[in-house]
Amino acid sequence: MIDRRDFVLAAGAAIAATATGLPAAAQDTGRKIGYAIVGLGGYGLGVIIPQFKNCQHSKLVALVSGDPAKARRVAAEYGVPERGIYNYQNYDSIKDNPDIDVVYVCLPVSMHAEYTIRAAQAGKHVLCEKPMAVSSAECEQMIAACRKAGKKLMIGYRCHFEAYNLEAIRRARAGDIGKLRYFRSEHGFVAGNPNAWRLKKAMSGGGSLMDIGIYALQAARYMTGEEPVAVFAHEQTDRNDPRFREVEDMIQFQLEFPSGVIGSCMSMYSANQNHVLLMGDKGRIELEPGTSYSGNRLWVGRGRENEITPPPGPGATQWAGQLDHMAQCIVSNREPIVAGEEGLRDIRIIEAIYQSARERRRITLRA
Ligand code: NAD
């Protein structure tokens, strides 16, 4: 297991590795790590696939899609060979394709566990999107399957490779705002189509918290560098709204950290917000937006008088940093800084948040 201290050190090491060049093994072979993208939807096709052009150590070699015409079109556009086109029926035959090192799972959440476990059984490393799975039990199975196969498992927490977030973490650790006291974050967007998989509990595992509130939870953990010891939550959902028959809209949760820092987070499917604020006894670190694809902004000081432009992150973009980090971990046999255990930790806390909202009481978390 990677603990928080290891993570901070690992994050620094990831940046250092990029700044000082490649690990020796990668320099020796010069071969780029091959990725198969599973799920050509908004994120897999719209965001991840176009990022390979920004990568130094990663390349796109295969696609897994239920739509053959789409797969052929995308393959032609991105130079994926015919032998790299798969569907959900012949997915397991990726084991016979040596071009594929990593499977990147960009599917609805309820499919993450199955496609991760099958990838590991086919002898492939896995990068799986967030949230890791619909339950902590599934997360544990995913970790066990990858461990059994001797393969790496990383979760798609892109903010760990994003320059503004890394600079905010660095400044919090360096004591720029003194002793940390209070963390606040609101994350939300307006959910649309009531039939989308995100609003079906069996496919999403939950509502706004699983999908977007998880960014607030993640930020609370990486900004403070601590693990919460207890949660208290309150949910507010209009169950007559056709979008929210199965999943929550608003859920507010408080996190208690061992140092005495309090985290206060709001997750929403009915308003657009993306904000992170960390207060210390000597100042504040604020990001707004904080975890967006682009346009993030950072202020450090007493208010918003001192806007910071951070040094570049580990990759040309947060996604290139993420894809190349996995590639470098494979080449140099290191654990990813956001390994499966990190995804499991979030899902365990999310389960406690849901329990707290349901039972209207404070829930303590296992150490
Ligand atoms: P999407 O609905 O746009 O795409 C899902 C893909 O899965 C589609 O290609 C769809 O055809 C395929 N699929 C296969 N079987 C399916 C089924 N039974 N039902 C529905 N779709 C099926 O979703 P998305 O926004 O691309 O999200 C995919 C994953 O990426 C999710 O885990 C999501 O949380 C994650 N995501 C992460 C970020 C990020 O910033 N890290 C952003 C968006 C989405």
Side-chain angles (χ1 to χ4, degrees):
M1 276 238 207
I2 303 180
D3 69 16
R4 208 84 297 258
R5 194 178 306 270
D6 289 341
F7 157 69
V8 175
L9 294 173
I15 298 163
T18 310
T20 56
L22 267 174
Q27 282 170 341
D28 288 344
T29 64
R31 175 182 173 271
K32 287 189 176 181
I33 292 296
Y35 275 79
I37 302 297
V38 190
L40 305 182
Y43 200 61
L45 177 58
V47 178
I48 296 299
I49 288 178
Q51 285 295 326
F52 285 96
K53 67 173 183 299
N54 296 320
C55 292
Q56 291 183 52
H57 315 303
S58 314
K59 64 177 178 186
L60 178 66
V61 297
L63 308 167
V64 184
S65 169
D67 179 340
K70 186 185 203 176
R72 274 197 304 277
R73 178 174 59 73
V74 176
E77 185 177 347
Y78 290 95
V80 172
E82 182 72 31
R83 67 174 182 282
I85 300 177
Y86 295 87
N87 55 46
Y88 297 109
Q89 285 68 47
N90 65 18
Y91 173 65
D92 301 296
S93 61
I94 58 172
K95 71 176 186 305
D96 302 318
N97 187 338
D99 296 345
I100 303 171
D101 300 288
V102 190
V103 169
Y104 192 159
V105 179
C106 296
L107 292 166
V109 186
S110 61
M111 301 171 78
H112 289 186
E114 178 187 342
Y115 283 83
T116 293
I117 292 167
R118 284 167 67 184
Q121 287 169 347
K124 307 300 179 186
H125 303 282
V126 182
L127 208 171
C128 177
E129 256 317 310
K130 49 53 60 182
M132 183 170 171
V134 297
S135 68
S136 55
E138 282 194 354
C139 296
E140 285 162 6
Q141 289 162 18
M142 294 159 77
I143 291 168
C146 291
R147 191 171 294 144
K148 185 173 173 204
K151 297 292 150 185
K152 303 202 181 295
L153 174 57
M154 173 168 160
I155 307 303
Y157 287 131
R158 58 181 168 75
C159 295
H160 291 250
F161 306 91
E162 197 277 329
Y164 287 76
N165 283 268
L166 290 173
E167 180 66 4
I169 295 169
R170 191 188 70 71
R171 285 170 176 267
R173 296 294 182 283
D176 283 21
I177 59 167
K179 184 172 160 50
L180 305 184
R181 300 303 300 140
Y182 182 62
F183 171 91
R184 212 182 87 201
S185 178
E186 304 83 29
H187 270 75
F189 66 87
V190 180
N193 176 8
N195 297 317
W197 65 260
R198 279 186 171 74
L199 302 176
K200 302 288 167 205
K201 180 128 195 286
M203 298 207 75
S204 58
S208 71
L209 177 57
M210 288 289 274
D211 195 47
I212 186 78
I214 194 170
Y215 286 93
L217 172 58
Q218 264 279 305
R221 295 177 52 235
Y222 61 67
M223 292 287 285
T224 61
E226 292 188 60
E227 293 302 329
V229 290
V231 298
F232 191 85
H234 173 74
E235 185 201 320
Q236 185 71 47
T237 303
D238 175 3
R239 294 288 171 186
N240 293 319
D241 185 322
R243 296 172 299 171
F244 306 129
R245 296 239 160 87
E246 299 186 20
V247 299
E248 84 280 358
D249 171 13
M250 295 198 283
I251 188 159
Q252 189 178 32
F253 53 98
Q254 200 169 88
L255 305 163
E256 293 172 33
F257 291 99
S259 67
V261 172
I262 295 287
S264 177
C265 303
M266 174 59 106
S267 169
M268 296 167 280
Y269 261 164
S270 54
N272 293 309
Q273 182 63 306
N274 186 315
H275 180 231
V276 172
L277 177 60
L278 185 64
M279 300 179 206
D281 61 6
K282 294 198 173 67
R284 14 187 283 167
I285 297 174
E286 185 167 19
L287 292 147
E288 187 171 21
T291 62
S292 283
Y293 289 172
S294 64
N296 290 330
R297 295 180 72 184
L298 170 66
W299 297 267
V300 180
R302 300 209 165 271
R304 289 193 170 188
E305 73 286 350
N306 183 25
E307 185 164 4
I308 306 287
T309 302
T317 64
Q318 54 188 313
W319 300 279
Q322 169 185 276
L323 293 162
D324 278 346
H325 174 68
M326 180 60 151
Q328 289 176 297
C329 285
I330 291 166
V331 169
S332 55
N333 195 22
R334 278 185 288 135
E335 271 304 289
I337 58 170
V338 278
E341 285 79 3
E342 179 71 7
L344 167 62
R345 223 171 265 137
D346 276 346
I347 299 297
R348 281 194 180 135
I349 299 167
I350 285 173
E351 287 174 344
I353 292 170
Y354 282 140
Q355 185 189 351
S356 171
R358 240 182 1 254
E359 299 178 4
R360 295 170 187 270
R361 66 183 179 94
R362 176 179 177 271
I363 304 289
T364 53
L365 293 155
R366 279 190 289 158

